[in-house]
Amino acid sequence: MPSRKKAQGKARKAAKAEKAEEEGKKQSAVGANNEQQALGAQIQRLQLQDLFSEHDDDTTGDDCLHGHTLLPEDDVAHQFMKSFMGHYYDAVNADGRKLGPDKFHAAIKATDEDLGIQTTENEVRMDWVLSFLYGLGAQFILDDSESRARMHAEIACFFELLKCATFGTEQPEFFETQIADIHTLVSFYRKKIPCSCLDEKYEEVKSVSKVGLCRNLNCSLPGHLVKRSKMLYCTACGTTNYCSRECQVEDWKRHKKT
Ligand SMILES: [Zn+2]
Ligand SMILES: [Zn+2]
Ligand SMILES: [Zn+2]
């Protein structure tokens, strides 16, 4: 990355941190949020607000929203996202920062209860939610915040699955957000956003071998990770993959029941 860009990124990060701190002060002064929240959840939430408010005072183009369009704060989609993220972070933090579909569905349920409507049963709203997650995740990649980018890729994937199940839209691509290599992660976001903001990053990481997870629980490879190009797919279901014929055979007893 050219150093000018890096410096810009740093300056932007510093400005963001400052803004977040300000917001934090504002929030605690008002005492609007009386729920008990973990520090991590607070920080994440501030970032969310930060992204939403970014374009209000600065339209230099340096802070592209990567295809996301801002909605007024009282818009139901905006309220949904804010509430959902709060519930999701709380659920994740309450379980030792472990992600997973259970947290996702719990957060959806709690959010529907908050708002009194089934927000996810509106396709336009779902698309807005997805564009928010893609934009935020792309920004995390640019800010070198890989773990956050992963987390939001996982949330986006769950929303894609939910959208597919609700509206019969295209089946989302199979994507192991938690173990994916940086090449796969950057590709995921780059394909989702309409701008070219991740092109430079993609050039940086495209030589990294794509890896996947061998599904044999007793696989002997470190972390059960295998290069995608070497992966074998189960011919019965087409989605379960293995590092070797041995692992596939070993796992068959378990897998055939699923
Ligand atoms: Zn962009
Ligand atoms: Zn294996
Ligand atoms: Zn299978």
Side-chain angles (χ1 to χ4, degrees):
M1 203 193 282
S3 59
R4 190 179 59 86
K5 268 236 153 144
K6 226 176 213 170
Q8 276 180 348
K10 263 198 192 141
R12 206 170 54 206
K13 244 187 252 179
K16 265 192 181 177
E18 224 176 78
K19 228 192 214 170
E21 203 185 357
E22 257 179 46
E23 281 287 322
K25 276 182 201 152
K26 242 187 268 167
Q27 266 215 346
S28 56
V30 177
N33 235 332
N34 49 12
E35 300 157 3
Q36 287 256 316
Q37 274 136 9
L39 187 65
Q42 288 276 19
I43 292 167
Q44 296 265 26
R45 215 165 297 177
L46 290 175
Q47 262 180 350
L48 192 77
Q49 288 164 351
D50 194 34
L51 187 84
F52 276 127
S53 57
E54 202 156 284
H55 260 209
D56 294 349
D57 41 59
D58 185 5
T59 46
T60 54
D62 190 33
D63 45 13
C64 174
L65 291 185
H66 318 303
H68 180 66
T69 44
L70 297 172
L71 285 175
E73 290 230 7
D74 58 355
D75 189 281
V76 75
H78 189 158
Q79 286 179 354
F80 169 81
M81 203 64 234
K82 236 170 140 171
S83 168
F84 170 83
M85 288 304 227
H87 286 299
Y88 185 79
Y89 295 140
D90 288 347
V92 167
N93 285 332
D95 191 23
R97 307 197 68 82
K98 268 206 270 331
L99 308 181
D102 50 331
K103 277 72 168 191
F104 176 81
H105 291 292
I108 292 276
K109 195 165 168 264
T111 304
D112 281 348
E113 279 166 19
D114 274 1
L115 301 185
I117 49 166
Q118 299 231 302
T119 319
T120 53
E121 284 181 5
N122 177 311
E123 198 171 353
V124 176
R125 252 181 241 145
M126 286 287 269
D127 285 337
W128 184 87
V129 162
L130 282 168
S131 89
F132 171 79
L133 291 166
Y134 300 149
L136 190 60
Q139 191 57 48
F140 282 140
I141 295 275
L142 291 172
D143 292 343
D144 291 321
S145 202
E146 195 183 316
S147 62
R148 289 208 171 114
R150 270 179 206 288
M151 182 186 198
H152 290 79
E154 170 150 322
I155 302 171
C157 284
F158 286 139
F159 272 113
E160 285 176 3
L161 282 170
L162 187 62
K163 188 185 162 194
C164 169
T166 313
F167 305 104
T169 48
E170 203 187 329
Q171 184 82 31
E173 210 182 315
F174 185 66
F175 178 50
E176 292 156 318
T177 48
Q178 289 313 297
I179 58 100
D181 53 279
I182 187 73
H183 179 177
T184 304
L185 190 66
V186 172
S187 293
F188 170 78
Y189 282 120
R190 184 167 170 255
K191 274 188 243 165
K192 305 290 185 184
I193 59 174
C195 52
S196 52
C197 291
L198 288 181
D199 288 7
E200 200 180 316
K201 185 74 188 176
Y202 179 74
E203 288 301 314
E204 253 176 60
V205 300
K206 70 176 184 188
S207 61
V208 175
S209 298
K210 289 192 172 186
V211 293
L213 201 60
C214 174
R215 291 293 154 168
N216 178 13
L217 301 174
N218 304 313
C219 177
S220 58
L221 291 175
H224 302 186
L225 291 176
V226 53
K227 280 190 184 176
R228 277 211 178 269
S229 54
K230 301 247 170 77
M231 213 163 216
L232 302 174
Y233 289 84
C234 166
T235 48
C237 65
T239 54
T240 303
N241 31 38
Y242 298 99
C243 70
S244 60
R245 181 89 187 115
E246 288 72 40
C247 271
Q248 182 166 16
V249 170
E250 205 179 313
D251 193 50
W252 180 242
K253 241 191 215 153
R254 184 194 65 86
H255 178 54
K256 71 179 173 191
K257 287 186 220 143
T258 61

